[in-house]
Each structure stands twice: as structure tokens, then as C-alpha cells.
Amino acid sequence: MASLNLQQQIEGTCVHEKIKKLFRNMRSAIIHKFFAFIILTYPIASIAFSCPFTTKWNVSVISALREDLVVHIKSGDDDLGNHTIPYVGNYSWSFCEKVGGHTLFYAYFWWGSKFQSIDLFNKAISDKLILHADPEHCYWFVKPEGFFVTNIPSGGGEFIKGWN
């Protein structure tokens, strides 16, 4: 009887070891498949977040106002919401330009008691910026005199509109 118990224990241990080995192999296979999935889908994900047929634009609104600037930015497809931009602060976003150049982003600005609405990106703005060295960037500088656009981050830019 004692030898039968020992034999059952040995067989039980062998079964236990086989099960552990099976789970180890399954875990290893799952990890390998997961990494293979990541490696194979990365190029597709990269294309999905790039703009294969149009320009990817990076837009920044930079405040040169001593008081907080409140801005609400929208497009036909996206509502980027309200943002409070402090002095020399900025709000930035990126998007793929629509085929045919029909992309429009517009905004409402509040500075103290002053208000202004302005198109931040449209075909006319795109055409102005494409003439310069770095056409994928659009910088809006909001100053006491009004709104200036450029593709150079150091400031300046072309005056587009004053405050109401």
C-alpha cells in the first residue's frame, strides 16, 4: 500500500510538472504572438496617425497678452473646447489637411472685455504659410494690437485682424 501511494505521488508530481510546463509554453506562445502583433501592426498604426496624402499641420496659439486669454477652437469635425492661455503660454494641436484644401479651424477669443472670432486655419492661411520655409507649422501670436500668423515660432508674423 505504501509503494502504491509513493507511485501515485510520483505520477501526480509528473502530471503537475507537465501541466506547469504546458502553461509555461502557452504563456511563452502568447507573449510571442503579442509581440508579433505589435511589430506587424506598428506600420499600419504609423500610417493611421500620419497624413499619407495631405499635409499634417501643427497649429499653436501663443498669447502675448499680460492677462489670461480664453479661446474656444472648433472645426466642422472637431470641437477642441475652451482653453485659458496665460501670458507667453500656448495651446497647440495637429491635424491632417483635407484633400482639396477645405480644412477650416476657427476660434472665439476673449481678452478681458474684448472679443474676436477668427479663422485660424483655412485655404487662404495655408496658402500664405506654404510660401515660407516651414509650411507645416502655423503660429498665431495674439497681441494687444490683434492677431498675427506666421510659420516661424520666434514671433512677428503677418497682421490678420484686430480686436473688436
Side-chain angles (χ1 to χ4, degrees), residues 10-67:
I10 291 170
E11 287 175 2
T13 303
C14 288
V15 169
H16 181 67
E17 290 299 321
K18 286 180 182 178
I19 292 172
K20 281 175 46 179
K21 185 176 180 183
L22 177 67
F23 277 113
R24 235 188 338 254
N25 289 342
M26 285 176 49
R27 185 175 51 213
S28 177
I30 290 170
I31 290 170
H32 282 60
K33 286 180 182 178
F34 175 73
F35 281 112
F37 173 78
I38 296 296
I39 290 168
L40 293 174
T41 58
Y42 179 76
I44 295 166
S46 295
I47 290 169
F49 294 110
S50 68
C51 306
F53 304 111
T54 62
T55 302
K56 180 177 181 178
W57 286 91
N58 302 295
V59 180
S60 294
V61 176
I62 302 150
S63 176
L65 304 171
R66 298 248 178 232
E67 298 85 21

Side-chain angles (χ1 to χ4, degrees), residues 1-12:
M1 183 77 112
S3 67
L4 184 60
N5 250 347
L6 182 60
Q7 187 176 0
Q8 286 177 338
Q9 286 178 351
I10 291 170
E11 287 175 2

Side-chain angles (χ1 to χ4, degrees), residues 128-146:
K128 286 179 195 292
L129 299 174
I130 284 177
L131 298 174
H132 301 286
D134 191 8
E136 293 139 7
H137 295 279
C138 176
Y139 298 98
W140 282 93
F141 289 91
V142 183
K143 303 176 181 181
E145 307 84 52

